[in-house]
Amino acid sequence: MMAEDIQAKLKNYKTAPFDARFPNQNQTRNCFQNYLGMNIMWLLPVSTSWQRSPDYSKPDFHRCTKVLTAKGADTTPCEWFRRVYKSLCPISWINKWNDQLEEGTFPGKI
Amino acid sequence: MAHPSQLGFQDAASPVMEELIHFHDHTLMIVFLISALVLYVITAMVSTKLTNKYILDSQEIEIVWTILPAIILIMIALPSLRILYLMDEINDPHLTIKAMGHQWYWSYEYTDYEDLGFDSYMIQTQDLTPGQFRLLETDHRMVVPMESPVRVLVSAEDVLHSWAVPALGVKMDAVPGRLNQTAFIISRPGIYYGQCSEICGANHSFMPIVVEAVPLEHFEAWSSSMLEEA
């Protein structure tokens, strides 16, 4: 069911939607979180309506791929995070982080 | 766009800028009225032969010239706060563009679907064709669909810059390592110019911004042709 919702969201994807976790001018963390970050909210129960709109139940892209591949599961939900970080993050930042991931010098915790 | 001997703002190309212009007109009118009143009082004081040495105080006038300025300030504050909150409204953008500042040019990235990125250098004065604007034209413009909410994420690759387009009422600092968000809707098709607004070295005055607003079909055709070029 979740996969179909995400498929629908991906099909209608225009650009990264408003994320209530990052309502202000500084979107640096928004980009970084979607590229990597284990969203701390995903551990909390989804109680308030503003928490329900983004995918708080799913970790962000690279951890997402790692976790789901290890389980042998479909990594389609990760595609959502890939689209969002591609929309938000400058290409040079993504290339730099990708290189760091390959070299093993990436500063974030995956 | 800007023209010689210009006194006021450029014509608004976005709803926010329209509001800013109205607010500015309203506030400037208040300022002119107060200045005219003060000027009148000064000339009246200076040009009379009458003198009065016996008035020590007056409760009534003190009350008036306390309450009236308070009311005037409220009349300025209310529209001001209204616009402040209007500019901060949650919008749902249809498109995200990244504007990256470099020494000394801007680069634009459209990565919602494919990876489109290109640099935008100023056209040197000797290379201008007749009718083009000196120090304002660029080789590639940031093309944007009109009447669509657009999110621009501004950052820099080296030093501080600032991305500004006065006709849209937009200015956002470009800070290395930080992603600053601004948004606008362009109400009408056209070409809108801006200039780097944070000192960034020798050619700070020579890295302009040009935004071209076109109907959606033209935007789609433009982005396809840009992708093919790359």
Side-chain angles (χ1 to χ4, degrees):
Chain A
M1 235 277 281
M2 247 319 184
E4 278 120 37
D5 291 339
I6 300 181
Q7 295 278 16
K9 277 205 290 190
L10 277 168
K11 198 159 138 282
N12 296 326
Y13 186 84
K14 281 197 215 143
T15 189
F18 170 72
D19 188 337
R21 295 172 294 170
F22 312 100
N24 298 320
Q25 179 180 302
N26 187 356
Q27 296 288 301
T28 317
R29 203 72 199 165
N30 192 358
C31 142
F32 190 66
Q33 282 286 25
N34 277 286
Y35 181 82
L36 140 98
M38 189 60 79
N39 184 354
I40 60 169
M41 293 293 185
W42 79 312
L43 295 171
L44 300 176
V46 177
S47 51
T48 54
S49 61
W50 65 264
Q51 283 177 306
R52 263 178 243 133
S53 32
D55 242 333
Y56 286 105
S57 58
K58 298 288 183 288
D60 296 311
F61 185 62
H62 279 85
R63 292 190 189 176
C64 185
T65 323
K66 177 179 161 192
V67 161
L68 293 185
T69 314
K71 283 194 197 165
D74 176 32
T75 56
T76 310
C78 304
E79 180 65 12
W80 174 259
F81 292 97
R82 192 188 77 85
R83 295 299 300 270
V84 172
Y85 87 66
K86 280 218 87 64
S87 281
L88 296 177
C89 303
I91 295 173
S92 62
W93 292 13
I94 297 173
N95 291 340
K96 183 178 82 197
W97 292 335
N98 285 343
D99 292 342
Q100 286 175 340
L101 276 175
E102 273 172 45
E103 289 170 16
T105 55
F106 184 69
K109 182 171 174 290
I110 297 242
Chain B
M1 60 154 293
H3 59 264
S5 318
Q6 175 177 334
L7 286 181
F9 292 119
Q10 296 178 33
D11 288 341
S14 76
V16 165
M17 190 59 197
E18 285 177 42
E19 295 289 341
L20 286 170
I21 290 175
H22 289 320
F23 172 68
H24 177 264
D25 289 347
H26 164 79
T27 309
L28 192 62
M29 179 56 76
I30 293 175
V31 164
F32 281 161
L33 289 173
I34 294 172
S35 307
L37 175 67
V38 168
L39 193 61
Y40 166 72
V41 169
I42 290 173
T43 34
M45 295 290 112
V46 152
S47 61
T48 180
K49 289 206 165 44
L50 302 169
T51 57
N52 187 324
K53 298 178 280 192
Y54 303 109
I55 294 187
L56 295 174
D57 70 350
S58 163
Q59 285 305 319
E60 296 79 11
I61 198 172
E62 292 275 358
I63 291 172
V64 168
W65 68 35
T66 304
I67 299 291
L68 219 48
I71 293 174
I72 292 172
L73 286 174
I74 291 173
M75 279 173 52
I76 295 174
L78 289 177
S80 174
L81 289 171
R82 188 182 139 265
I83 296 182
L84 190 64
Y85 279 80
L86 183 79
M87 289 164 73
D88 249 359
E89 273 196 2
I90 294 171
N91 59 355
D92 201 21
H94 289 181
L95 176 66
T96 299
I97 305 174
K98 278 155 281 178
M100 306 293 292
H102 309 250
Q103 281 175 315
W104 287 279
Y105 62 97
W106 292 93
S107 64
Y108 300 107
E109 297 173 11
Y110 295 65
T111 50
D112 288 323
Y113 303 99
E114 309 285 334
D115 268 356
L116 171 60
F118 55 89
D119 298 337
S120 177
Y121 280 86
M122 183 184 86
I123 296 181
Q124 301 289 325
T125 306
Q126 59 266 26
D127 300 328
L128 290 171
T129 58
Q132 287 190 309
F133 302 116
R134 192 179 72 93
L135 307 186
L136 285 177
E137 303 282 359
T138 56
D139 53 3
H140 296 112
R141 296 174 176 159
M142 187 180 107
V143 178
V144 147
M146 56 183 261
E147 293 173 341
S148 268
V150 173
R151 170 205 272 135
V152 178
L153 295 168
V154 182
S155 187
E157 298 279 24
D158 37 45
V159 299
L160 295 178
H161 299 271
S162 185
W163 195 82
V165 183
L168 305 177
V170 164
K171 183 179 291 175
M172 188 54 70
D173 282 357
V175 179
R178 182 180 165 114
L179 213 48
N180 273 336
Q181 173 177 274
T182 186
F184 51 77
I185 298 180
I186 307 189
S187 338
R188 54 192 170 88
I191 303 177
Y192 309 106
Y193 297 92
Q195 293 176 291
C196 179
S197 299
E198 183 66 42
I199 187 85
C200 54
N203 289 340
H204 156 69
S205 314
F206 310 116
M207 48 181 290
I209 295 134
V210 187
V211 177
E212 183 175 341
V214 295
L216 186 60
E217 314 77 49
H218 292 237
F219 170 74
E220 288 166 351
W222 169 84
S223 55
S224 309
S225 71
M226 288 297 284
L227 280 163
E228 275 164 33
E229 245 178 63

